[in-house]
Amino acid sequence: MTSSITVRGAVRADMPEVARFAAQLVRLHHTLDPHRFLCLEPIEPGYERWLTSELESPDASIVVAERGGAEPVLVGYAYGRREPRDWNSLLDACGVVHDLYVAEPVRRLGAGAILLEAMLARLRALGAPRVVLHTATQNAAAQRLFERFGFRRTMIEMTLDL
C-alpha cells in the first residue's frame, strides 16, 4: 500500500504546505478539546516561520511524505527534535516527536508509519537514546500506530478548568 508514498527530508520550498498541515493538526486538537488546546488564528504564518528556522537547527528534523505520480504531492509531515534533560518532567535527554500529520484523504495508506519510521531513524542518528511523544486522548488511531512501533504509555495529563 505504501509503494506510492515516499518520505524525504523537508526543504524550504515545502514549508508553506507543511505549515498548512501543522495548522490542521492544531485545529484538530482544538476541536477535540478547545479548553485544553490553544488555537490562535492565523496559524500558518507562525508555523511557517518556526519550522523554516528549524530546518537549520542541528537538533531538529522535519520529514515530508509525498504521494507519487507525474507531479508528487505532499500528504503529510513529521517534526522532531533532540531535546535536553528536563528536570520538571523528570525526563533525561531524548528525542521528541512533536508533530506527525497525514492529510485525511490518504490516511490508512501507510504514510503515518513511514513518516514515523523516518523520524525515529533521524532521531536515532541525532543521538537520542529514547523517543517520547504526546498524543491526544481521543486520537485512538494515532495511539495504535505508536503502539505498533513499541511506544508505551508513561504519563497521563489531566486538566482542570478553573
Side-chain angles (χ1 to χ4, degrees):
M1 267 262 191
T2 62
S3 61
S4 67
I5 297 174
T6 58
V7 173
R8 62 171 173 76
V11 297
R12 172 65 187 98
D14 299 325
M15 290 302 102
E17 187 69 3
V18 169
R20 191 178 71 75
F21 291 147
Q24 290 300 106
L25 186 59
V26 169
R27 291 182 189 110
L28 168 67
H29 283 90
H30 184 72
T31 299
L32 294 173
D33 189 342
H35 295 287
R36 162 57 179 90
F37 294 104
L38 180 69
C39 184
L40 299 175
E41 298 284 357
I43 301 167
E44 291 84 351
Y47 260 103
E48 185 172 348
R49 278 190 304 278
W50 170 251
L51 293 172
T52 298
S53 73
E54 286 292 84
L55 288 173
E56 304 302 318
S57 172
D59 294 322
S61 181
I62 304 170
V63 293
V64 294
E66 288 181 319
R67 188 166 199 184
E71 293 185 34
V73 175
L74 293 188
V75 296
Y77 84 105
Y79 161 57
R81 289 184 53 83
R82 183 184 64 202
E83 300 288 1
R85 179 175 290 153
D86 179 349
W87 286 98
N88 287 325
S89 297
L90 300 178
L91 187 59
D92 208 349
C94 63
V96 177
V97 177
H98 288 287
D99 295 346
L100 192 150
Y101 181 82
V102 175
E104 181 67 40
V106 297
R107 291 185 186 158
R108 292 169 291 287
L109 295 181
I114 61 173
L115 279 166
L116 183 56
E117 187 173 23
M119 182 54 60
L120 294 175
R122 285 175 170 244
L123 291 170
R124 185 179 294 113
L126 288 173
R130 76 196 50 76
V131 175
V132 298
L133 55 79
H134 293 96
T135 179
T137 302
Q138 304 93 321
N139 197 344
Q143 292 164 27
R144 285 190 299 273
L145 170 65
F146 301 140
E147 288 168 348
R148 277 198 334 260
F149 274 78
F151 283 86
R152 59 188 167 78
R153 296 166 194 261
T154 56
M155 293 292 291
I156 297 173
E157 176 183 90
M158 299 176 74
T159 300
L160 172 67
D161 294 325
L162 299 176

